[in-house]
Amino acid sequence: MSTVTTNINTGEPFDGEHGVARRLMRNPFAAASIVVLFAIILLAIFAPARVTYVHATAGLFERPSSAHWLGADDSGYDILSRIAVGARVSLGIAVSAEIAIVVFGCFVGLIAGYFGGMVDTVLMRITDMMFAFPDILLAILVAVILRGGLANIFVALAVTGWPGIARLVRAQTMSLRRREFIDAARALGVPNGQIILRHILPNVQSTVVVASTVDIAGLVVAESTLSFLGIGVQPPLVSWGSLIAGSLQYMDIHPELLYYPALFLMLTVLSINFLGDALRDALDPRRAT
Amino acid sequence: MLRFFANRVVHALITVWAIATITFFLAYLAPGDPAQLRFEHSNSPALLASWRHEHGLDLAPLPRYVRYIDGLLHGDMGRPFASDAAPPVLQYLIQRFPNTALLAACAIVVAFVFGVTSGIVAALKHNTWIDRLLMAMVLVGVSVPNFVLGPIAIAVFAMNLNWLPVAGWGAPEYIVLPALVLACRPAALIARMTRASMLETLQQDYIRAARARGLPPWRILGIHALKNAFLPVLTSAGVSLGYLLAGSFVVETVFHIPGVGEASFASIGQRDYSMMQGTTVLLATIFVTINLVIDLLYAAIDPRVRFGMQESAS
């Protein structure tokens, strides 16, 4: 691609991915977050293949041992296996919903911001409307009506999640549209579609990366909230939310059933948030405070 | 000014209407026949038909929609599907609403006190370890969902330490844990906002001028800086209230508080679409109204907002 990616705020050429990665790793919180997330992703990918979670393999409430690192739960399931399956479900849903949100949100934001006028007014009225609605309420309603299940939570989260990205991309697109390099491209007769894809999209990219990283944390929480309320993933599949919900009745004698999934959930969300913050600083060093 | 007000009010009304419409069609499209869900073990067609008729479920989509909107305009959200003896949906929810409101009010007060204080401290100690610690705590506060914090708070403070009751409602001690749990996230958001806003304000010329005039620091901070730093904080408090209302869903369920959220949660299990529709519309209406009031207040205080500068500010 012949386009030069510039930092939209300063107009200076970007120092490329290496600069970002270097700045990112210099932040100890970010480095730790990457390690934690990497470990959890590995757990999500590889652990469930080895372990069975449908059949009880241990005694009820068995103590941690070399065979069952975190012990067993109220039905004799290995806790770590359940958590690994939960990681797969929670992260899988969050990431795939985020991809849908980014694609759709960028599409709406780019179109609305670039063309302006009626298209913009209509699209933004719709996003405003979605914004005026606490999204978890809508997600709950959609999930209940669609009756839970993997695909349906994905739909519930994707449908309610896109306005944030759309609004962000639109605002950036609007300010980019007035810049000289866009005028120049237009004067050269570059078609609108190409201007959007080649000149605007690369410039909104870093904003979208930061926003969607933070968004994933929100989606992990939203998914586990739905599952906690019993309208998310249905048994025998588990998610961190449903593990926490299931642990509540044994809270007084076996609080570890609550603590383990809660710990994994918190570590994940916290790491994603730290990473998002660090990414924002790394992608735009002037903003670092 | 009047035009701005009218514009905002119309916007809010359209939003509420749209939410009511979306909710209606979601419930309409829901798979399964509510009558058969309700009378699982009955196959008397006459009973099912009369029940459907009573709830207007035998109407075609459009008349049903008209009936629903007409009902809403008259403060009627229909009767719950799950029980014939229960009071109409709106009355039932209004009866429970004070509990939700009390919980949310306590939480927002706690969130404000903690949030604003730690935000100011972080801004004043900018770039010191205190600032970093507070901001790390903020990130934790934003990251830990209510349904994790609630049970852990119960396990620690109610079960282990025995300081507070596990769950329930009716006496002042019951509200402490849920209010703290609910306050956590908004407190973090408010702290972050206050810090950012204070940092920006403290760099303004008039603050330097006040310092140069030799005003005591508490006056500069309390009167000159805080007053101007406060507006964005007010807006973020509005957003926080939305979280509180939605959060009440989880917190009320965890702590067994007889509020709107818990009613809605109970209706999920029974697939009582009528009740769920009602809660969603009610909570969304309250949310929109609060944001409208904050918008109008904001405009009344800050003239820049009225003249269309809010687009660039947001």
Side-chain angles (χ1 to χ4, degrees):
Chain A
M1 206 190 299
S2 60
T3 44
V4 176
T5 310
T6 53
N7 183 322
I8 36 161
N9 294 314
T10 57
E12 294 156 8
F14 238 10
D15 56 352
E17 311 287 310
H18 295 297
V20 173
R22 190 159 29 83
R23 278 197 295 274
L24 201 59
M25 293 315 282
R26 214 184 289 147
N27 179 336
F29 280 124
S33 302
I34 291 174
V35 172
V36 169
L37 284 176
F38 196 64
I40 291 174
I41 291 170
L42 283 183
L43 181 74
I45 295 175
F46 294 110
R50 275 196 55 237
V51 296
T52 50
Y53 66 95
V54 182
H55 304 293
T57 51
L60 307 190
F61 301 114
E62 204 177 284
R63 300 234 148 244
S65 63
S66 58
H68 306 287
W69 290 0
L70 297 180
D73 68 3
D74 53 303
S75 315
Y77 294 128
D78 176 54
I79 292 178
L80 188 61
S81 316
R82 299 270 261 176
I83 287 175
V85 175
R88 184 176 262 199
V89 168
S90 297
L91 292 176
I93 291 180
V95 171
S96 51
E98 187 55 43
I99 291 171
I101 286 171
V102 166
V103 170
F104 191 65
C106 279
F107 179 74
V108 170
L110 286 169
I111 299 283
Y114 187 76
F115 292 105
M118 256 326 264
V119 188
D120 181 39
T121 312
V122 171
L123 287 175
M124 280 307 111
R125 279 291 137 80
I126 299 174
T127 29
D128 278 352
M129 217 89 89
M130 302 281 296
F131 244 99
F133 203 92
D135 25 339
I136 189 73
L137 281 183
L138 192 56
I140 288 173
L141 199 65
V142 174
V144 169
I145 283 165
L146 295 176
R147 309 209 160 170
L150 274 183
N152 293 334
I153 312 172
F154 165 80
V155 171
L157 295 181
V159 162
T160 52
W162 60 271
I165 297 273
R167 202 183 246 199
L168 208 65
V169 171
R170 169 190 174 255
Q172 291 240 334
T173 309
M174 280 176 70
S175 73
L176 283 167
R177 194 181 56 179
R178 304 195 192 98
R179 299 282 297 269
E180 294 84 354
F181 68 97
I182 300 295
D183 283 340
R186 220 182 273 147
L188 286 171
V190 180
N192 283 330
Q194 225 175 59
I195 295 183
I196 293 177
L197 287 180
R198 290 266 175 88
H199 299 276
I200 294 188
L201 195 57
N203 277 307
V204 298
Q205 186 182 307
S206 63
T207 318
V208 171
V209 167
V210 172
S212 53
T213 310
V214 179
D215 247 18
I216 290 180
L219 289 176
V220 170
V221 172
E223 179 278 319
S224 37
T225 305
L226 293 181
S227 296
F228 176 80
L229 291 171
I231 48 182
V233 286
Q234 301 298 324
L237 213 53
V238 288
S239 109
W240 289 336
S242 60
L243 284 177
I244 291 172
S247 77
L248 294 187
Q249 50 178 316
Y250 305 103
M251 214 162 69
D252 44 351
I253 28 173
H254 292 286
E256 71 275 9
L257 293 188
L258 163 66
Y259 293 146
Y260 291 139
L263 185 71
F264 275 85
L265 177 59
M266 288 193 306
L267 271 178
T268 306
V269 176
L270 202 58
S271 305
I272 298 175
N273 276 332
F274 270 124
L275 192 61
D277 261 25
L279 258 180
R280 178 166 28 215
D281 293 345
L283 285 169
D284 189 0
R286 290 173 323 111
R287 266 197 54 175
T289 45
Chain B
M1 186 75 187
L2 206 62
R3 245 190 86 186
F4 176 83
F5 271 45
N7 196 331
R8 282 293 136 130
V9 172
V10 170
H11 250 176
L13 286 174
I14 294 178
T15 306
V16 170
W17 165 76
I19 290 167
T21 305
I22 293 171
T23 332
F24 173 84
F25 283 103
L26 279 177
Y28 178 77
L29 293 173
D33 174 8
Q36 276 179 346
L37 284 169
R38 167 79 171 81
F39 301 102
E40 246 174 274
H41 304 295
S42 160
N43 44 15
S44 144
L47 173 69
L48 295 184
S50 82
W51 188 83
R52 273 193 210 110
H53 181 72
E54 194 190 321
H55 289 274
L57 297 177
D58 52 349
L59 297 171
L62 200 61
R64 202 169 132 190
Y65 174 68
V66 172
R67 180 180 142 139
Y68 165 74
I69 293 290
D70 182 62
L72 282 185
L73 290 175
H74 294 95
D76 176 11
M77 290 180 167
R79 304 186 61 85
F81 286 175
S83 155
D84 296 325
V89 172
L90 188 62
Q91 274 78 338
Y92 183 67
L93 292 178
I94 284 178
Q95 197 183 309
R96 282 172 159 247
F97 184 68
N99 297 336
T100 302
L102 180 65
L103 181 62
C106 289
I108 199 81
V109 170
V110 173
F112 237 95
V113 173
F114 276 96
V116 171
T117 321
S118 43
I120 292 174
V121 171
L124 291 179
K125 302 278 173 195
H126 185 214
N127 270 342
T128 63
W129 66 269
I130 299 179
D131 180 26
R132 288 201 195 97
L133 180 72
L134 281 171
M135 284 309 106
M137 280 168 65
V138 160
L139 222 45
V140 175
V142 174
S143 302
V144 185
N146 284 332
F147 69 89
V148 172
L149 207 55
I152 289 181
I154 293 178
V156 174
F157 294 106
M159 288 176 161
N160 270 344
L161 297 172
N162 237 332
W163 287 352
L164 290 157
V166 170
W169 194 244
E173 65 263 29
Y174 284 109
I175 207 169
V176 179
L177 274 187
L180 287 177
V181 167
L182 202 50
C184 206
R185 186 186 166 93
L189 293 173
I190 290 173
R192 191 187 260 175
M193 201 64 189
T194 309
R195 174 178 175 271
S197 183
M198 272 304 263
L199 283 178
E200 206 186 312
T201 312
L202 286 176
Q203 284 172 359
Q204 302 288 320
D205 287 341
Y206 62 84
I207 296 292
R208 260 191 299 180
R211 274 210 194 104
R213 270 157 57 207
L215 290 181
W218 65 267
R219 275 203 65 169
I220 299 176
L221 190 69
I223 297 177
H224 296 264
L226 206 52
K227 208 168 75 186
N228 288 293
F230 215 61
L231 277 173
V233 178
L234 194 66
T235 323
S236 80
V239 180
S240 297
L241 259 163
Y243 282 119
L244 288 187
L245 290 172
S248 68
F249 217 97
V250 170
V251 173
E252 283 176 11
T253 307
V254 170
F255 288 93
H256 298 291
I257 296 169
V260 173
E262 203 241 0
S264 192
F265 176 72
S267 66
I268 292 174
Q270 300 161 318
R271 303 225 168 262
D272 187 340
Y273 295 141
S274 175
M275 184 67 87
M276 293 194 49
Q277 236 176 6
T279 3
T280 311
V281 172
L282 182 71
L283 289 181
T285 308
I286 294 167
F287 182 64
V288 170
T289 313
I290 290 168
N291 277 320
L292 175 70
V293 170
I294 287 174
D295 253 17
L296 297 182
L297 271 179
Y298 208 117
I301 301 170
D302 188 345
R304 284 174 301 181
V305 176
R306 289 199 294 273
F307 299 113
M309 287 176 69
Q310 81 270 36
E311 287 294 318
S312 53
S314 59

